[in-house]
Amino acid sequence: MCGIIGILGDHQAAPIMVDALKRLEYRGYDSAGIATVNDGRLDRRRAVGKLVNLADLLVHDPLAGMAGIGHTRWATHGAPSEANAHPHRAGRVAVVHNGIIENFRALRAELDGPWESETDTETVVRLCERFLDGGMTPQDAAFATIDRLRGAYALCFLFEGEGDLLVAARAGSPLAVGHGRSEMYVGSDAIALGPLTDRLTYLEEGDRAVVTRAGARIFDAAGQPVEREMRRIAVDAQRIEKAGHRHFMAKEIHEQPQTLSDVIAAYVADGRIAPPAPYDFAATDRIQMVACGTAQIACSVAKYWFEALAGLPVEVDIASEYRYREGPIGADTTALFVSQSGETADTLAALRYARGRARAILSVVNVAESSIARESDVALPIHAGVEVGVASTKAFVNQLAVLLALAIHAGVQRGRIDPAREAELVAGLRGLPAMLSQTLAIEARCADLAGRLAEATDILFLGRGTMFPMAHEGALKLKEISYIHAEAYASGELKHGPIALVDRMLPVVVFAPMDALFDKTVSNMQEVMAREGQVLLVTDAEGAERASDGVWDVLILPTVDPVFAPILYAVPAQLLAYHTAVHKGTDVDQPRNLAKSVTVE
């Protein structure tokens, strides 16, 4: 989502803030701006579009000052425009904001116009300015403003005449305070602060922080002083560089053998599955999995694994629906939440709904310090490292690896997997990074096929068993970055409606490894070809030998135990989408209308 940076420093803040915001570009944004206090005077600069536009503006119209706030905005209320860009200002106060103020219309009704923007955030600065006019101190005015807000927000206030003060607050959207030497920082992301400091204090839900160069005083939602742990956070700068690749997404696709190896090493010890945070699956009767987007697809794959390997019934829900349907959670149900960022607003809200109802809260996350990790009974890291591309690749594959390791572990605990089968599965896991490397060899073929796919207006993905959710992953990736309409169906559902779409103009991508469902998938594929559908078969060598007659083309992957197939078949889903998007010339890393971390509902 949007990015926040705040600085109280010993150097000119503007160039430092622009650099910090560049490190947050991966989150997605459509405008940017900064504000500073210089000799007591508050001023700001804002620009629509990429950060280079703001940087150019600052060349021609510099902004001095050693105290400042900055922001990259992803539009929610109001279109991308300079008037709607942050920071917002009213009189003596400026603010940057991530999230949504749900009661902004009610606040607007009681505040004086005219209004300069269409945003919910402008109500925050107008309200704070009114409290200042009433004689409150900046800190008290900010706190009084925060008390009136309803919704999800991360906020950072800057005041005219106050060159040594930032007031920050969070509710449902992440925010951290960074500690330097005679300098202090506020940021929405450790990546933004990484080159400035490695000492961070993460604000808890409802916290407010009063930040000066001498340090930070933190208060809870009730206004009481609290102590929050300061942590040392190592951000690997190499992981936020393209390392010679054209796009971050390409780099992250090619990092997958290494990141997969990292996560398997963390979950396997002495030839057995040994999760870094233990949990007894033998004591649970059911698993409720909740996630959004690609993470929800990982859960849909894991449902097959847990039910087949561990005999555990699994329900999978989309987080944005789950919390509102008020689904019953029994005391013997384990609730498992998956989120790359660990800050996904709907997933976090669903977790809070499940707390106190479920037997335990488990989470599978990439950020150990995230809200979801901190609020879980057991947090299980995926060790994917920083993922910059909006379309998830290595994080998705590592989510699958962790969920598979947990399913194997649950099968052993519940007596469904004997030692010989466990050894076989562990050996298969350990061999996956090498097989993933072999799978990446299909890239040139994917690039060749992309030209044909880029001409399509619609594309259909089909699969059975674990390949059904992988078909969803293929369709989602293609939609996200190429903007081509794509749909996924279980192959057996083809004749129940989707076959009406099939004609000679429709590419149909079929995921069909050689498994127990292969012949049934081929039958469905034949139905497509009988209606002149253009089938791209994604299979292994034996599958290609048995079923490639009449297809448009074939992608051949290494032969693998069907249990592990989803991890390998993620690669063609990624590469087909990537090269189709490159062929069309879309913004691969920052596709339109999308953000990396969705911290609003």
Side-chain angles (χ1 to χ4, degrees), residues 194-210:
L196 302 172
T197 180
D198 64 350
R199 295 182 296 152
L200 301 184
T201 298
Y202 286 89
L203 299 186
E204 300 288 345
E205 188 70 5
D207 280 356
R208 299 103 183 263
V210 178

Side-chain angles (χ1 to χ4, degrees), residues 37 132 134 178 225 237 253 270 423 473 548 551 558 593:
V37 172
L132 288 173
I253 289 171
D270 299 324
E473 175 65 4
S548 61
V551 303
N593 305 332

Side-chain angles (χ1 to χ4, degrees), residues 281-302:
F281 287 98
T284 194
D285 292 338
R286 174 175 164 270
I287 299 176
Q288 174 70 62
M289 293 187 183
V290 182
C292 299
T294 293
Q296 190 269 341
I297 293 172
C299 291
S300 296
V301 174

Side-chain angles (χ1 to χ4, degrees), residues 25 31 78 127 133 146 193 203 222 266 285 287 390 452 557 573:
E25 283 190 295
S31 60
L127 186 59
D133 288 343
I146 294 161
L193 300 179
L203 299 186
D285 292 338
I287 299 176
V390 165
R452 169 69 179 88
L557 274 61

